[in-house]
Amino acid sequence: VKFPKPLTKLIESLERLPGIGPKTAQRLAFYLLHFPQENLENFANALVGLKTGTKLCSNCKNVAESEVCSVCDDDTRNKREILVVTSPLDAFVIEKTGYKGVYHVLHGVIDPLNNIGPEELFIGELLNRVEEFSAEVSFEVIDGSHNLEIILATSSSMEGESTALYISKMLRNAGFGKDVVKITRIARGLPVGGDIEYADPTTLEKALEGRSDYS
Ligand SMILES: [Zn+2]
């Protein structure tokens, strides 16, 4: 049986989504066929506007509606706490814990098997931020206490761990000592290998509270 072209095209598009196999794609396509035209158009417009209506925050690389995201733009947020996450979704989930610092979104993890190196991620941009911060603010080193904290919140998967390790080495190699930049790692309240996006806010809050010195 050959489906009409518009259906085939939609099925092929749906199949590219994660977790959707050919059967599910077919079911969804036929389901959408019952939608009123107006709903379909709203759906289509939402898809079209997804990329054109959003940009990456020039500072933290989170998904935003303007050049600078609402978190970076908020003067009440603690700019001396930068929480490093893998995806915008992770930042969104952590936001629900009441975290009051700022973010840095990597948009992935270092994954050599899939040809994703540090250059493919916004890791260099993180170093730039730390360098800019240090240029703007004269670090007042009191009792060896840190002036900037980098909280590494990548997952506890192998890739997440090696990404955290890479970032901490990069910052130390750039000359930022423990007295100036404190590097912490979120606690293992999270299931091993578990993704941040699936954790409930309470678990995440605990994981954040229990963060420990990393390097
Ligand atoms: Zn931002």
Side-chain angles (χ1 to χ4, degrees):
V1 186
K2 261 196 156 183
F3 298 130
K5 267 208 192 81
L7 268 169
T8 312
K9 268 176 84 178
L10 180 59
I11 291 167
E12 282 169 4
S13 296
L14 290 168
E15 272 185 69
R16 292 201 199 109
L17 298 173
I20 300 206
K23 283 264 166 63
T24 310
Q26 285 174 17
R27 213 176 308 133
L28 284 171
F30 279 96
Y31 181 78
L32 287 167
L33 205 51
H34 295 295
F35 267 38
Q37 183 63 21
E38 195 195 335
N39 292 16
L40 281 180
E41 273 163 24
N42 287 341
F43 188 25
N45 287 337
L47 278 179
V48 172
L50 185 63
K51 287 279 243 192
T52 56
T54 57
K55 33 183 110 183
L56 294 186
C57 169
S58 59
N59 193 41
C60 72
K61 306 300 170 192
N62 203 353
V63 179
E65 281 181 58
S66 47
E67 193 64 28
V68 176
C69 77
S70 56
V71 171
C72 289
D73 206 27
D74 185 347
D75 286 338
T76 68
R77 307 288 295 229
N78 182 2
K79 304 279 159 66
R80 293 184 173 223
E81 254 179 42
I82 301 178
L83 196 142
V84 180
V85 287
T86 304
S87 72
L89 188 56
D90 286 355
F92 182 77
V93 175
I94 287 174
E95 194 64 5
K96 288 190 205 156
T97 67
Y99 170 71
K100 285 286 170 251
V102 293
Y103 299 94
H104 190 83
V105 185
L106 299 173
H107 291 269
V109 280
I110 297 172
D111 184 2
L113 289 180
N114 288 303
N115 289 320
I116 299 172
E119 312 76 36
E120 272 73 44
L121 310 170
F122 289 111
I123 288 182
E125 284 77 359
L126 176 63
L127 181 60
N128 292 345
R129 272 180 86 179
V130 175
E131 279 168 347
E132 267 169 37
F133 185 93
S134 73
E136 274 172 33
V137 180
S138 60
F139 287 114
E140 305 143 17
V141 183
I142 309 155
D143 302 332
S145 63
H146 66 98
N147 277 270
L148 181 64
E149 179 174 359
I150 303 291
I151 308 166
L152 300 170
T154 53
S155 79
S156 55
S157 67
M158 207 168 75
E159 293 79 16
E161 291 292 357
S162 54
T163 305
L165 191 64
Y166 181 90
I167 291 172
S168 78
K169 277 187 178 164
M170 173 189 75
L171 292 171
R172 294 292 179 240
N173 288 342
F176 295 104
K178 287 181 191 188
D179 51 343
V180 177
V181 178
K182 180 177 183 172
I183 303 175
T184 56
R185 183 96 171 92
I186 52 168
R188 297 293 174 278
L190 297 169
V192 173
D195 282 328
I196 291 204
E197 58 181 281
Y198 300 119
D200 60 286
T202 316
T203 306
L204 264 179
E205 208 179 326
K206 289 253 155 62
L208 260 175
E209 277 170 9
R211 67 180 181 267
S212 53
D213 286 343
Y214 186 65
S215 105

